[in-house]
Amino acid sequence: MKAVAYVRVSSKEQGRSGLGLDAQKAAIRAFAKREHIEVVQWFSEVETGKGADALDRRPQLAAALGAGRALRAPVLVSKLDRLSRDVHFISGLMAERVEFIVAELGKQADPFVLHLFAALAEKERQLISERTKAGLTAAKARGVKLGNPQLRAGKPAYVAAARRARTERADARAFDLRGYLESARLAGKRTLAELAGQLNAMGVPTPRGAKWTPMAVLRVERRLREATDYAA
C-alpha cells in the first residue's frame, strides 16, 4: 500500500528546531513499517491549523491532498490534530475525496471515528481555554502578579500558582487521552484492565511515558470526571 505523508508544526520556533517535525516523521515511519505502507511523498509545513481559511494558508496540505488524489493513495499523518482540531475543517477535508490515515488511531479508523475524535478535540480545546481564562481571572482577583520574577522565590502565591499550572497541564494531558479511551470503548473494552491493555496495544504512553496499568487508567478517568461531565 502506498501513502502520502504530511507533517506540521504551528510555530516558527518549532519549525526551526525541527524537533516536532522529526517526532512526527519518526511516528509515521514506525507506523508505516508496522502496517506495510510505502510512503512515496512527504509534505512538511510550519503553519497554524486555526481559522476557517486554514487550508488556504496551508499550501503543503493542499499539495498533499492533490498528490493523494493523483496517486489514489491516502494521506498519512501522525496525529489528527496535525490536520486540525476543528471538526468543521475535518469535515471539509473528508469531502476532498482523499482517504486519511491517522497513525495514533490505527489503519482501520473510518471517517465516523475521525469526526468523533475531531469533535472531542474541539470540545477539549474549548474547555481548556475556559479553565485557563478563569484561572487567570481568579489569580488576578487575588492580587497575584502573573509573570513577576519575584514570585519565583518560593512565595506562597507563586507556589499556589505553580500548583494550579501543574494541575492544568495534567488536565490537558487527560483530555488528550480521552479520545483513546473512547476509541477503546468503541472497540468493546470495558474493564480497567481491558482499557489498559488496549492503550498499550495502540502504543499510547502514560503521561509519565510508561506502560498502562488499571490504576493508571483509573487516575486519568478520575481526573476527567473532576474536570468535566465525562462518564466512564
Side-chain angles (χ1 to χ4, degrees):
M1 180 181 183
K2 298 182 184 295
V4 172
Y6 174 76
V7 295
R8 177 183 68 87
V9 291
S10 58
S11 71
K12 293 180 180 178
E13 289 75 14
Q14 291 173 317
R16 282 195 295 268
S17 72
L19 295 177
L21 294 173
D22 288 344
Q24 292 174 53
K25 289 177 181 177
I28 288 173
R29 289 191 182 102
F31 176 82
K33 182 179 180 179
R34 185 168 63 249
E35 298 293 337
H36 307 290
I37 297 173
E38 178 188 0
V39 178
V40 294
Q41 283 185 263
W42 288 85
F43 295 87
S44 178
E45 198 142 54
V46 179
E47 179 59 70
T48 180
K50 297 179 181 179
D53 62 341
L55 188 56
D56 294 334
R57 292 184 285 102
R58 292 163 65 182
Q60 289 298 299
L61 177 56
L65 292 170
R69 281 192 293 268
L71 296 169
R72 295 185 178 180
V75 174
L76 175 58
V77 296
S78 61
K79 299 178 65 176
L80 186 61
D81 64 8
R82 295 307 84 199
L83 294 174
S84 178
R85 292 186 178 91
D86 187 296
V87 67
H88 297 296
F89 185 83
I90 296 295
S91 296
L93 292 180
M94 296 295 105
E96 293 286 337
R97 294 177 289 106
V98 176
E99 179 186 356
F100 288 93
I101 297 178
V102 180
E104 70 171 353
L105 300 181
K107 189 178 177 181
Q108 304 305 320
D110 60 25
F112 170 76
V113 173
L114 297 184
H115 279 88
L116 174 63
F117 275 81
L120 289 171
E122 184 176 285
K123 182 62 175 178
E124 289 161 6
R125 182 181 62 187
Q126 177 187 346
L127 291 172
I128 291 170
S129 176
E130 290 174 353
R131 286 201 312 275
T132 300
K133 290 178 181 178
L136 291 173
T137 300
K140 289 180 180 179
R142 291 191 301 271
V144 176
K145 296 181 180 180
L146 301 175
N148 187 338
Q150 293 181 354
L151 293 178
R152 296 185 174 87
K155 293 183 179 180
Y158 174 70
V159 172
R163 186 179 297 113
R164 286 192 296 275
R166 286 195 299 271
T167 298
E168 289 177 359
R169 286 195 297 270
D171 286 347
R173 178 55 178 155
F175 279 120
D176 287 340
L177 293 165
R178 177 178 178 176
Y180 293 111
L181 292 170
E182 297 290 354
S183 177
R185 286 194 168 82
L186 287 173
K189 309 303 179 184
R190 291 291 181 269
T191 69
L192 293 174
E194 289 174 340
L195 292 170
Q198 182 72 3
L199 291 172
N200 288 327
M202 294 168 68
V204 181
T206 69
R208 295 184 178 181
K211 292 289 186 180
W212 286 95
T213 65
M215 184 56 66
V217 174
L218 180 61
R219 284 195 294 268
V220 170
E221 292 193 328
R222 282 175 176 170
R223 183 170 292 278
L224 285 169
R225 281 194 293 270
E226 291 170 359
T228 69
D229 57 356
Y230 171 86

